[in-house]
Amino acid sequence: MTQEESKSAKLCLDIDYTQVVSTRTTAMLDFILGVQYRGLTGRGSIISLRAKSVNDFGLSLYYLQPINTNLFCDCNVNLEDRRYPQLPFGSLPKDLSEYNSFKEFNSSISIGARTDTGRIVRLGGYYKYISSRDLPEINFFKERFLEPYETAYKLENKDREDLLQALFEEYYETSSNAKSLGIFVSYEINRLDSQIFAHKGINFNINARYTFTFDENWNSQPNMLILTAQGKSVIPFGRHVSINSSTCIGTDVFGNMASSTASMFAEGFTNFSRIYFPQVCSPTTFGSCILASALTFQIEPWKQLTILGGDLILTLNGTVGNVTETFTEMIPSDSEENEINPILWTGGAGIALKIKSAFSIYLRFGAASTMEKSVTPFFSMDIGSINF
């Protein structure tokens, strides 16, 4: 095959839909249109352009250029306006505006090496800008602003909620943004037999990034070394049953993130994750440490349900995790810590239709804990290419 013959182009249309019904409810739908060119700048090269609209608005450009059989370089540019419309149930205290929006610009460039056994090592740099007119870090906000008022005025519970509401309303009128740039190195091994709802295999990724952050006036913040590790193991028991376990752990090694709102905003971990916190409608907590796990018992009774493929999967699933400023706060030791850092968990069942190796429909229902420290029924639906 000649290099000219290896050139190709294709048009891609994807759907991304998320619905959550819990103490708050949301529904977010995006149509994603993309075009991909292969081989334009040499064998194996990829240029991908994508745009999405309806709930979110975004444009992205990705370029991959192989150097030889094992080495490659790539760059990625992404501009996105992420929106989280939501409605509260009942008369719960207002913890966030009912239409959160985060504008974000990300760009990165890296050089990497891959092996035939699924291992990839990358070294690169990145720049990030994020802004919002909403308050994304409710727990961080409580610790920084509410505690001084409690100490000074010895407020009762109802007065605390009224004060918190007033402080939120005042903060809503402000605009916050932050920037960060840094270098990163990552290592990944992927032996899963499918990108989503794998039947067997392992995946492990560890990322270290040294970050310089700036507030909205370009004032330099303390530097950070952020480590993140994610792992997934899927153990099969015959052809139709498997157990899928996932874990995510991350921290700021220097401990500087907690002292800077801009650093927390730009680089903090959040509790919005469709894998670990399916009951959460939007990023309500930013923190410098995360520890979360998910365990799923999968039964695959039928395959090839449609002419496009399609495997039906029944699940029993549970998740537990927390996002805090230090690992010592992961498990609250008293009612005061539980007020700020409640552990989030879910337990229930689900049904999934895996249309192809990177697209599925997944329905989950069960019981879940909330940021209001209550237990509530929840239902969620995810359509798209989330790596469950």
Side-chain angles (χ1 to χ4, degrees), residues 149-281:
Y149 283 91
E150 290 180 317
T151 303
Y153 298 105
K154 311 288 186 187
L155 300 177
E156 299 295 334
N157 286 339
K158 182 180 184 305
D159 294 327
R160 288 174 54 206
E161 294 296 346
D162 291 342
L163 175 60
L164 182 59
Q165 179 71 26
L167 291 172
F168 279 148
E169 294 294 342
E170 177 182 350
Y171 200 94
Y172 289 151
E173 301 304 319
T174 67
S175 175
S176 59
N177 67 68
K179 305 97 177 169
S180 65
L181 58 90
I183 58 175
F184 67 89
V185 60
S186 67
Y187 170 81
E188 180 181 11
I189 179 171
N190 187 3
R191 297 287 189 84
L192 297 174
D193 62 354
S194 176
Q195 181 177 333
I196 55 176
F197 292 107
H199 181 70
K200 63 180 180 180
I202 63 169
N203 177 275
F204 176 76
N205 179 288
I206 185 169
N207 179 288
R209 61 187 191 270
Y210 191 82
T211 299
F212 307 86
T213 57
F214 306 87
D215 64 16
E216 58 185 19
N217 297 317
W218 284 99
N219 296 313
S220 179
Q221 307 298 301
N223 299 342
M224 297 179 293
L225 175 61
I226 301 172
L227 297 181
T228 307
Q230 299 185 70
K232 175 183 287 190
S233 174
V234 186
I235 302 174
F237 294 89
R239 295 180 56 190
H240 301 287
V241 177
S242 61
I243 293 179
N244 182 333
S245 61
S246 300
T247 299
C248 175
I249 183 172
T251 187
D252 166 30
V253 177
F254 296 160
N256 292 331
M257 187 186 297
S259 65
S260 168
T261 304
S263 298
M264 188 76 74
F265 193 20
E267 295 288 345
F269 302 101
T270 83
N271 65 347
F272 183 74
S273 168
R274 301 310 306 141
I275 297 175
Y276 299 110
F277 306 110
Q279 76 273 40
V280 177
C281 295

Side-chain angles (χ1 to χ4, degrees), residues 25 40 52 87 91 94 113 149 152-153 156 196 209 258 304 308 338:
T25 183
L40 288 184
K52 67 177 180 179
L87 295 172
S91 56
K94 185 176 182 180
Y149 283 91
Y153 298 105
E156 299 295 334
I196 55 176
R209 61 187 191 270
Q304 295 293 325
L308 299 177
N338 189 59

